[in-house]
Amino acid sequence: MYEFICNNDITPADLSTFASLVYQYTNESGDGPLTVFGHPQGSQRLLRKPSVKQSKPAISAIINIPFKYPKGIPAPPDPQEYLVSIQADLFIYLPNEERYVPQEELVDVDLVSYGSLNHWLLIRGTRIPSFSHCIDRRTNANFNKEGKIMVLNYFEGEQCYSLLLKIVDTDDWQELTAGMGQCIYEASSQVPFSKSCKGDQEFVINAIENEALLAFNEREENEDGSGDEEIDTDDDGELTEDEDYYKTLETFLDGSGKNKVMTISYKQPAAYVFRGDKLGIYRSVSTKLRLSSAIPNLSSKNVQHAMLYRDESALLVMKDDSRVAQIDIERNLVVDEWGMEDDPRNSKYAQMTDEATFIGITSNAVFRIDPRIPGRVVQQQCKRHVVKTDFSAVSTSQSGHIAVGSRKGDIRLFEEPGRVARTTLPPLGEHVYALDISLDGRYMLATCQYYLMLFDVMHKDSRQVGLRGSREKPVPKLLKIRPEHVSLMNEPIAFTHAKFGTSQGDEKYIISSTGSYIVEWSIANVCNGKPYPYTMRKFDNHIISAAYNSGCSGSIIVALPDEVTISTRSQLEKPSNRFFLRPRKKASSGYE
């Protein structure tokens, strides 16, 4: 029970304090799939005769988020085919109330086709405007099987809304999820769903429905990350900077180039950042990030990817002209350069050893590279595919097994280069931009533009962990930004390379970024079905890359266009209206 008596003596500051307390304590009550201020009201199964006007609390005026109800978009004429026709209760997310509010019971919901690969969702009722939405990559459909709920983003021009459909009948639910799975796949891949075999179709539908249940054996995590040791960013100790330091900093920041690529050391708290034709080496000093040295005038202006090499004494740089440069970090110069058919990509953990070889890919081949031999490619460990595989990403486990993703969205698992893949995971339609494998080899992570895919690759029968080839095809858990949060972000979703933590205390977390936000998922919360498994922090500029700071649990290195800074897990928040409304704080870096 909350009571607040307001008269002319009450100041706006008092109102804001009371509002903050209400939001703080009501949000601690629970986070069910529909819960923000408790359960949304209005479904005929939840409340008889709903009234949207009566459901608005007076406190919404204090939140003061500009909101205009959608006007609706009429459906295009003459659909060729009705794929799904059901009824559902419609809700819309009102930012001022931080919950889904009922609009109408038993509206007509149709999935229709207007020709090859052109599908629309139509929502029509007697009290609402007609909503028609082209199923595309921005739809961001989220499903809750237990509650028979689908939530999605709906756009009118640049304005983004979040709609919720509550389905009652089980058959209707199965029909809707199957139809949406087909439409989302075709919209993303531009390939007819009918060309996939039945097993692959079921794989896609189960993944999109988020039906995958992943196991997690570690102790249950607190949602705020408490219990983990973190670095203290409030250290008041000042660094003593000399004239040479400022000269190095000025040299690195000078010019029109921007920070473009960052790679992280696994052995020490350090980051390597490419900016134009320069390389900056940052190290953590006294809980701050300091530019340790800069290498100017590299012949590597158009860097696309970079990886540490030979016990982290060198860097391999992949450029957009299909050439690879080897940089000797200790001597600060390029010592070798050679051409490839395409960009080879980095493998994980090899940088921590003196291993001279590494795994590379082209659009149709997987192979081992040895820079010491003529031609660099070990032909006995090279597998070239005749069919168009369109490979785009590679990662290896600590035990040497290989995962290769493609622009089509499929992922192949190899036991070693030079052999045929033992397992191919079907595509969901999205381009796989990057892959990563957890320290223990238990989980595999694929980065797509609009979501991440988390796979549990432990074998059910043998209980062996790793990417050993088998007939098993683990269904991924899709990690997405919730539609109501997308509607408040005011920027498109575009995830950067997502990574597992590599230090003790971080291995149970995943870090990525999209636009000006860093996003961290707790694997425990994902596997345990928490509806809010992620926390976020926003910056005043778009983020180039985010990665864990090795050896410093809870420390995240963030590269922005003109600075590199450290964030901590304690600075990340569970998203709320106040989080999105708060002015973006300028990053506080170690070299400012």
Side-chain angles (χ1 to χ4, degrees), residues 23 57-65 96:
Y23 279 97
I59 202 170
S60 63
I62 300 173
I63 300 297
N64 196 26
I65 298 179
N96 287 338

Side-chain angles (χ1 to χ4, degrees), residues 541-560:
N541 211 329
H542 76 275
I543 297 167
I544 305 301
S545 180
Y548 290 108
N549 191 7
S550 297
C552 302
S553 180
S555 174
I556 303 164
I557 298 179
V558 182
L560 303 166

Side-chain angles (χ1 to χ4, degrees), residues 369-567:
I369 300 174
D370 188 343
R372 300 167 299 182
I373 65 174
R376 271 78 180 191
V377 175
V378 181
Q379 295 299 329
Q380 296 85 351
Q381 294 187 329
C382 176
K383 174 62 180 178
R384 301 186 187 277
H385 295 75
V386 178
V387 297
K388 186 178 179 181
T389 51
D390 220 2
F391 292 144
S392 58
V394 62
S395 185
T396 67
S397 68
Q398 200 165 17
S399 59
H401 297 98
I402 305 165
V404 179
S406 78
R407 291 176 179 84
K408 299 176 182 179
D410 57 339
I411 300 174
R412 287 174 166 84
L413 307 182
F414 298 83
E415 290 190 345
E416 60 182 64
R419 293 191 175 186
V420 176
R422 292 290 300 275
T423 303
T424 299
L425 304 177
L428 302 188
E430 287 285 345
H431 176 170
V432 175
Y433 288 95
L435 290 167
D436 197 25
I437 298 168
S438 63
L439 185 63
D440 61 1
R442 173 71 183 272
Y443 298 103
M444 178 174 68
L445 186 65
T447 304
C448 303
Q449 179 177 349
Y450 291 94
Y451 54 77
L452 312 180
M453 295 188 288
L454 178 63
F455 296 85
D456 184 347
V457 293
M458 172 178 279
H459 292 264
K460 296 179 181 178
D461 297 331
S462 65
R463 306 299 296 171
Q464 291 180 325
V465 174
L467 303 178
R468 295 173 175 84
S470 73
R471 296 298 179 183
E472 295 178 18
K473 294 185 178 182
V475 176
K477 194 78 171 177
L478 303 189
L479 309 185
K480 301 180 179 181
I481 303 298
R482 291 171 64 102
E484 61 266 30
H485 297 157
V486 173
S487 69
L488 295 170
M489 290 172 65
N490 293 321
E491 57 184 52
I493 300 298
F495 283 116
T496 59
H497 188 170
K499 305 177 184 73
F500 293 104
T502 57
S503 301
Q504 185 176 5
D506 287 336
E507 70 275 4
K508 51 187 175 289
Y509 291 96
I510 294 167
I511 192 68
S512 184
S513 66
T514 172
S516 56
Y517 298 84
I518 56 173
V519 189
E520 183 183 63
W521 281 266
S522 161
I523 299 177
N525 287 345
V526 170
C527 295
N528 292 329
K530 299 286 186 181
Y532 287 89
Y534 58 84
T535 53
M536 305 174 74
R537 184 186 179 190
K538 60 180 178 179
F539 289 81
D540 66 342
N541 211 329
H542 76 275
I543 297 167
I544 305 301
S545 180
Y548 290 108
N549 191 7
S550 297
C552 302
S553 180
S555 174
I556 303 164
I557 298 179
V558 182
L560 303 166
D562 289 309
E563 55 189 317
V564 184
T565 186
I566 285 181
S567 181

Side-chain angles (χ1 to χ4, degrees), residues 81-86 109-112 172 175-176 178-180:
E81 181 182 5
Y82 279 76
L83 304 175
V84 175
S85 293
I86 64 169
V109 180
D110 299 308
L111 271 178
V112 300
D172 286 352
E175 185 179 353
L176 178 65
M180 285 295 294

Side-chain angles (χ1 to χ4, degrees), residues 83-157:
L83 304 175
V84 175
S85 293
I86 64 169
Q87 287 191 316
D89 298 333
L90 175 66
F91 299 75
I92 189 170
Y93 184 76
L94 297 187
N96 287 338
E97 300 191 25
E98 287 197 291
R99 67 184 179 110
Y100 288 92
V101 174
Q103 302 301 293
E104 186 171 343
E105 300 174 355
L106 298 178
V107 298
D108 294 323
V109 180
D110 299 308
L111 271 178
V112 300
S113 174
Y114 288 91
S116 178
L117 311 178
N118 182 18
H119 308 303
W120 288 65
L121 177 69
L122 311 182
I123 302 174
R124 291 169 289 191
T126 58
R127 301 190 311 159
I128 61 167
S130 296
F131 298 131
S132 60
H133 175 74
C134 179
I135 304 297
D136 58 20
R137 302 169 73 201
R138 302 182 304 167
T139 301
N140 191 31
N142 283 237
F143 297 90
N144 182 302
K145 184 178 182 180
E146 182 179 357
K148 300 186 184 68
I149 293 165
M150 181 179 77
V151 189
L152 71 151
N153 286 121
Y154 164 77
F155 291 85
E156 289 189 2

